[in-house]
């Protein structure tokens, strides 16, 4: 019986990591470079960065990740916090690593779509693929029983306070 619990735990951790990495890939390559405010932490970070350009999007995401993680720990408990800890660690690191792929000075800006000759089409591509990867990443993470460590913590906290609301079906 314990072997099944361990296998389930490993599967859930794997799904949470995979989902978080997919979410970060969509954010770093498609959403953040085009300043697409899609909601969530990347959306908040883009808005704050446009107001205060001296603070990087990656730093804002890191600070928000950890702030919401600790709020989730306090409001939602230790079990939830342990499930969310994985995303709180993986997401900021993955965003920073994937951001390298759009930097024109590194690897020739392998995924630097904004600076391409077809930048007007690139924004449509960024919107579609950014939305797809973000949605897929969240779905995989939730499927693994985890949280992306972002603004969904706020949704879970609201659902805890208002018992009639559900965060998922």
């Amino acid at each position: 019986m314990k072997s099944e619990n361990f296998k389930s735990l490993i599967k859930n951790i794997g799904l949470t990591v995979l989902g978080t990495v997919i979410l970060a890939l969509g954010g770093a390559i498609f959403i953040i470079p085009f300043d697409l405010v899609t909601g969530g932490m990347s959306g908040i970070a883009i808005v704050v960065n446009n107001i205060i350009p001296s603070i990087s999007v990656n730093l804002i995401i890191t600070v928000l990740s950890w702030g919401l993680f600790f709020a989730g720990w306090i409001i939602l408990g230790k079990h939830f916090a342990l499930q969310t800890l994985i995303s709180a660690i993986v997401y900021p690191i993955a965003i920073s690593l994937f951001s390298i792929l759009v930097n024109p000075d590194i690897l020739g800006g392998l995924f630097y779509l904004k600076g391409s000759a077809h930048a007007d089409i690139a924004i449509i591509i960024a919107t579609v693929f950014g939305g797809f990867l973000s949605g897929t990443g969240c779905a995989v993470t939730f499927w693994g029983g985890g949280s992306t460590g972002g603004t969904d913590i706020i949704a879970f906290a609201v659902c805890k306070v208002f018992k009639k609301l559900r965060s998922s079906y």
Side-chain angles (χ1 to χ4, degrees), residues 10 39 51 60-62 70 96 99 126 136-137 139 146 166:
I10 296 301
I51 295 169
I60 297 165
I61 287 172
T62 301
F70 287 116
S96 295
S99 293
T136 301
R166 294 184 62 191

Side-chain angles (χ1 to χ4, degrees), residues 108-156:
L110 190 59
F111 286 96
Y112 185 56
L113 299 175
K114 193 172 183 178
S116 73
H118 306 287
D120 51 340
I121 295 173
I123 194 164
I124 295 169
I125 292 169
T127 302
V128 170
F129 283 97
F132 173 77
L133 289 171
S134 295
T136 301
C138 286
V140 171
T141 300
F142 296 156
W143 184 29
S147 161
T148 58
T151 55
D152 55 311
I153 292 173
I154 297 168
F156 291 131

Side-chain angles (χ1 to χ4, degrees), residues 28-123:
I29 292 178
F30 299 108
I31 293 172
I32 294 170
F34 286 91
D35 287 340
L36 298 173
V37 179
T38 58
M41 286 196 311
S42 63
I44 293 169
I46 289 168
V47 170
V48 172
N49 176 259
N50 280 301
I51 295 169
I52 310 168
S54 60
I55 304 175
S56 77
V57 171
N58 291 343
L59 177 62
I60 297 165
I61 287 172
T62 301
V63 169
L64 286 175
S65 290
W66 286 104
L68 288 171
F69 168 75
F70 287 116
W73 187 327
I74 292 166
I75 297 168
L76 301 168
K78 184 175 71 171
H79 180 70
F80 179 84
L82 292 174
Q83 288 178 303
T84 305
L85 180 61
I86 297 166
S87 290
I89 293 170
V90 172
Y91 186 70
I93 293 169
I95 280 278
S96 295
L97 291 175
F98 288 134
S99 293
I100 292 169
L101 298 174
V102 295
N103 185 336
D105 299 328
I106 302 173
L107 301 173
L110 190 59
F111 286 96
Y112 185 56
L113 299 175
K114 193 172 183 178
S116 73
H118 306 287
D120 51 340
I121 295 173
I123 194 164

